[in-house]
């Protein structure tokens, strides 16, 4: 095994030393080896890829669909995405100029921020948050401004946005993720409209990460782009809605002028996504089978959510309104003094259940746990029993 040349040490990109690897994965790795542990840590569907999507990928391989495609993705997938956005969210995008297919929502987030940010630019990120945004903003030499939303039910209110803008001076962009990872909280149309009225008066770019848009349990999802099409980049993809995390298909939709730059960045990063995965995504976004597959999974998630909500409430946790995604953000019972990391560590070691400490998701997360219910009812029953008995047998930590 080659060792790196001694004189290269200290020569690696210094800016990256301030970029910390995700402590979610570190924590997950630490507890994964515990015998018999039930893991509620990962933000990943436990379902297999639905048959229609698998068959579409297999067909693409057999038809020798193996050549480079346009950077923004195949025509058929961009059309399927345009259809999906119009059908579900009444959003109208031109598949030729306003949609690009990316390698997961992850690449979409990177390409969008890279297209917008210069070093030093400020980016507003409501917290608790999926940690990637802050990391990418830092990697690009820009400045994350974290906004703690714990006092406003984990939503960014128009008032909170206004006061932050007044305080911060010039700001380049706002990232808004809903339904939210880690809280499961989402925004209804009225909340978005009120927020959009404030944003409309600014020249902020908005990155709307709507990757969980299909997983809403009551009401319907409204995209921020409904109100602010001229300044929003909508990010979505097949990872969560169609259990296709490993296929790596995301997409971005936005105004043509902006999408031109975003697509250029994307093309420099990855050239284009993989053809069989794009063929599967056509089935996901462009067919009735794709829509039905999501609905079937959503039904199962809802049953799991309801079960866990009842079980955790009975154990003394308070849960933020969990109307979307597949997470519960649960406030520790009082006797544990907001020690979320100590609680999660002890629960893993003594109770054999793995959950993620809320403080890992930024300001406002301390004292909470994130539980993913993207796992079987059998696992959830076991986890619920173990959590209840852990709480009942510990009056402090
Ligand atoms: C809010 C949010 N955005 C983006 C992603 C990344 O999605 P993908 O797997 O499509 O890259 C995740 C995955 O957990 C997520 O929770």
């Amino acid at each position: 095994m080659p060792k790196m040349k001694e004189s290269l040490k200290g020569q690696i990109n210094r800016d990256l030393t301030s970029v910390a690897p995700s402590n979610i994965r570190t924590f997950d790795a630490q507890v994964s080896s515990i015998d018999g542990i039930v893991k509620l840590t990962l933000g990943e569907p436990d379902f297999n890829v639905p048959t229609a999507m698998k068959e579409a990928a297999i067909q693409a391989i057999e038809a020798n669909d193996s050549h480079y495609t346009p950077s923004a993705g195949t025509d058929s997938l961009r059309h399927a995405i345009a259809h999906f956005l119009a059908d579900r969210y009444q959003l109208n995008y031109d598949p030729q100029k306003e949609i690009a297919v990316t390698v997961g929502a992850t690449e979409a987030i990177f390409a969008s921020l890279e297209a917008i940010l210069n070093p030093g630019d400020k980016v507003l990120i409501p917290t608790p948050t999926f940690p990637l945004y802050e990391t990418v903003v830092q990697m690009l030499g820009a400045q994350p401004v974290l906004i703690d939303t714990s006092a406003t039910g984990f939503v960014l209110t128009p008032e909170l946005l206004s006061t932050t803008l007044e305080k911060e001076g010039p700001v380049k962009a706002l990232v808004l993720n809903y339904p939210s990872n880690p809280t499961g909280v989402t925004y209804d149309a009225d909340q978005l409209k009120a927020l959009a009225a404030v944003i409309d008066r600014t020249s902020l770019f908005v990155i709307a990460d709507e990757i969980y848009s299909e997983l809403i349990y009551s009401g319907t999802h409204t995209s921020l782009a409904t109100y602010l099409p001229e300044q929003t980049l909508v990010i979505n993809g097949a990872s969560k809605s169609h259990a296709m995390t490993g296929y790596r298909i995301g997409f971005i939709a936005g105004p043509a002028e902006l999408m031109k730059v975003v697509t250029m960045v994307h093309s420099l990063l990855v050239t284009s996504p993989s053809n069989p995965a794009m063929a599967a995504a056509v089935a996901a976004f462009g067919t009735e089978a794709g829509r039905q597959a999501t609905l079937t999974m959503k039904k199962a998630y809802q049953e799991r959510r309801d079960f866990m909500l009842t079980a955790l409430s009975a154990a003394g946790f308070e849960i933020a309104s969990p109307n979307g995604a597949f997470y519960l953000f649960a406030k520790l019972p009082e006797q544990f003094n907001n020690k979320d990391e100590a609680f999660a560590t002890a629960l893993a070691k003594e109770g054999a259940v793995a959950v993620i400490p809320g403080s890992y998701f930024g300001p406002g997360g301390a004292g909470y746990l994130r539980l993913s219910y993207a796992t079987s009812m059998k696992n959830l029953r076991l986890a619920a029993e173990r959590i209840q008995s852990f709480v009942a047998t510990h009056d402090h930590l």
Side-chain angles (χ1 to χ4, degrees), residues 43 104-106 109 130 133 177 181 209 211-212 239-240 248:
T106 299
I109 291 163
F130 177 54
Y133 315 119
N177 161 232
N181 174 10
D209 181 347
I211 188 80
Y212 295 100
S239 298
K240 317 291 176 174
R248 311 304 305 129

Side-chain angles (χ1 to χ4, degrees), residues 42-44 102-109 130 132-133 177-182 209-212 235-240 244-246 248-250 326-327 370:
L42 293 184
E44 171 163 22
T102 56
V103 179
T106 299
E107 195 237 327
I109 291 163
F130 177 54
L132 184 70
Y133 315 119
N177 161 232
Y178 67 95
S180 151
N181 174 10
D209 181 347
E210 302 181 15
I211 188 80
Y212 295 100
I235 292 179
N236 210 321
S239 298
K240 317 291 176 174
M244 283 169 53
T245 44
R248 311 304 305 129
I249 294 294
F326 36 60
Y327 308 104
R370 186 194 75 174

